[in-house]
Amino acid sequence: MLCKELELRKDEIGQTIQTVYFGGGTPSLLNSEELDSIFKTIFEYYEVSKDAEITLEANPDDLSEEVIKVLDKSPVNRLSIGVQSFFGADLKLMNRAHNAQEALASLQLARRYFDNISIDLIYGIPGQSNEQWKENLKIALELDIPHISSYALTVEPKTALEKFIEKGKVKPVNDEQYREQFDILVNALTSNGFEHYEFSNYGKPGYHSQNNMAYWLGKSYLGIGPSAHSYDGSSRKWNISNNALYIKSLEQDKIPQQTEKLSVTDSYNEFVMTRLRTKFGVCASDIQEKFGEKYRGHFLKESEKFLKDGLIKKTENTFHITSEGKFLSDGIAAELFYID
């Protein structure tokens, strides 16, 4: 059905494909025949750049040498591995399927076949000391991983972790710990040659995620599969999340999706939110060009207090979050939104 959807939507992207990203769910469960079938469809119906970044997300426990060899022979040239932590207690608390030994072994194996590897690491885990967090980063640096995505743990509703916290079995994390571990993260990685090019992403030169950069820079993308989202620059589409209905629709040559046309205000708010999180910042003249003087004036007026407080800095016509303001970037962006 993924191949069927790719064929039905072949005319939606009228440009050369620069990135292909297998993510959401566990694409590392695909076998060689399934991967080959998907790639055959992509290359048949879409023009793909010869140096396209082709990423596949994987869980450490899926990356046996046999799987790595299959991926090595495929067009995949980048792996994003959901390590989360190198400590067993952290992984158990987050209900991860892999253990600390598997996390380490998967990366040692992957490094033998792939140069371009990204890992996810989580901070702000209940019970995680600053020393343990430093050790997580030390291990990643010793493995010479060129890209790291790092996120603060979010306690989702109706999860086991939420229940443990409610019952007092697990101590909740306070804002001070989040901030301290974020600062440790930034200092450890930037002092070891990583560029902090987006709030949650750190890459060595030549290893920034081109797929994620496309989202933050407002480029169009095509999302294939149940629940997948697409964006064409002016509207957003999303596929139905029910697998059975997704399959039934495609069997009838219908694309099972809904569409939302973005207003100028929606587009302005997204522009501010995504750009402020990145090294590119927000250019006032870009706001003028894309959205008009009303939005530029609003941005300039609302940003004054953050400039005064040292949370935003201005270089010529471009506004960037300062190091003091980085941890607050989403809140700052929300304050800069235009509310109709």
Side-chain angles (χ1 to χ4, degrees), residues 146-206:
H147 188 278
I148 294 174
S149 297
S150 192
Y151 309 94
L153 180 67
T154 301
V155 180
E156 298 291 347
K158 299 180 181 178
T159 59
L161 181 55
E162 183 189 51
K163 287 184 171 59
F164 289 151
I165 291 174
E166 287 175 352
K167 293 178 180 179
K169 293 182 178 180
V170 173
K171 189 177 179 181
V173 177
N174 58 41
D175 289 343
E176 184 179 352
Q177 180 183 334
Y178 282 125
R179 181 61 193 249
E180 286 178 358
Q181 295 188 354
F182 174 76
D183 289 340
I184 290 169
L185 169 69
V186 174
N187 293 334
L189 297 187
T190 55
S191 63
N192 279 278
F194 287 77
E195 183 179 8
H196 189 191
Y197 69 100
E198 192 272 342
F199 180 77
S200 301
N201 287 270
Y202 308 77
K204 289 189 174 180

Side-chain angles (χ1 to χ4, degrees), residues 91-307:
L91 296 170
K92 187 175 181 180
L93 187 69
M94 293 185 287
N95 199 30
R96 303 298 299 182
H98 64 277
N99 58 41
Q101 290 73 29
E102 286 173 324
L104 190 59
S106 70
L107 292 176
Q108 292 169 334
L109 183 60
R111 290 296 283 151
R112 287 165 45 192
Y113 293 89
F114 285 85
D115 169 59
N116 198 350
I117 295 175
S118 176
I119 64 171
D120 291 347
L121 289 177
I122 303 292
Y123 62 92
I125 299 171
Q128 181 188 61
S129 69
N130 288 347
E131 290 308 310
Q132 285 176 320
W133 178 229
K134 289 176 183 177
E135 183 65 20
N136 265 324
L137 296 171
K138 181 173 177 283
I139 293 170
L141 290 169
E142 288 174 345
L143 288 165
D144 198 23
I145 302 300
H147 188 278
I148 294 174
S149 297
S150 192
Y151 309 94
L153 180 67
T154 301
V155 180
E156 298 291 347
K158 299 180 181 178
T159 59
L161 181 55
E162 183 189 51
K163 287 184 171 59
F164 289 151
I165 291 174
E166 287 175 352
K167 293 178 180 179
K169 293 182 178 180
V170 173
K171 189 177 179 181
V173 177
N174 58 41
D175 289 343
E176 184 179 352
Q177 180 183 334
Y178 282 125
R179 181 61 193 249
E180 286 178 358
Q181 295 188 354
F182 174 76
D183 289 340
I184 290 169
L185 169 69
V186 174
N187 293 334
L189 297 187
T190 55
S191 63
N192 279 278
F194 287 77
E195 183 179 8
H196 189 191
Y197 69 100
E198 192 272 342
F199 180 77
S200 301
N201 287 270
Y202 308 77
K204 289 189 174 180
Y207 292 95
H208 297 182
S209 170
Q210 298 307 304
N211 178 78
N212 292 353
M213 292 277 279
Y215 300 145
W216 301 321
L217 294 177
K219 295 182 179 180
S220 58
Y221 54 88
L222 192 66
I224 302 295
S227 295
H229 283 59
S230 304
Y231 177 66
D232 64 6
S234 61
S235 62
R236 202 173 301 287
K237 299 177 182 177
W238 58 94
N239 287 351
I240 195 168
S241 60
N242 182 288
N243 288 357
L245 293 179
Y246 170 82
I247 292 169
K248 185 176 180 180
S249 294
L250 287 169
E251 285 175 340
Q252 299 170 2
D253 290 344
K254 296 177 182 177
I255 300 170
Q257 64 186 197
Q258 292 179 270
T259 302
E260 173 192 24
K261 181 73 174 177
L262 297 178
S263 67
V264 176
T265 296
D266 291 334
S267 297
Y268 161 80
N269 289 343
E270 287 196 7
F271 177 82
V272 169
M273 178 182 68
T274 54
R275 290 298 180 96
L276 270 185
R277 289 177 60 96
T278 71
K279 66 175 184 177
F280 305 105
V282 177
C283 179
S285 57
D286 284 347
I287 296 178
Q288 172 82 42
E289 181 182 336
K290 294 174 180 289
F291 312 109
E293 176 56 33
K294 179 176 74 170
Y295 293 93
R296 175 181 172 275
H298 171 80
F299 178 86
L300 294 177
K301 180 176 180 295
E302 295 301 320
S303 63
E304 287 177 1
K305 58 180 176 287
F306 298 112
L307 287 165

Side-chain angles (χ1 to χ4, degrees), residues 70-83:
V70 166
L71 296 175
D72 181 47
K73 292 177 181 177
S74 78
V76 172
N77 54 32
R78 182 176 184 269
L79 294 180
S80 178
I81 304 175
V83 170

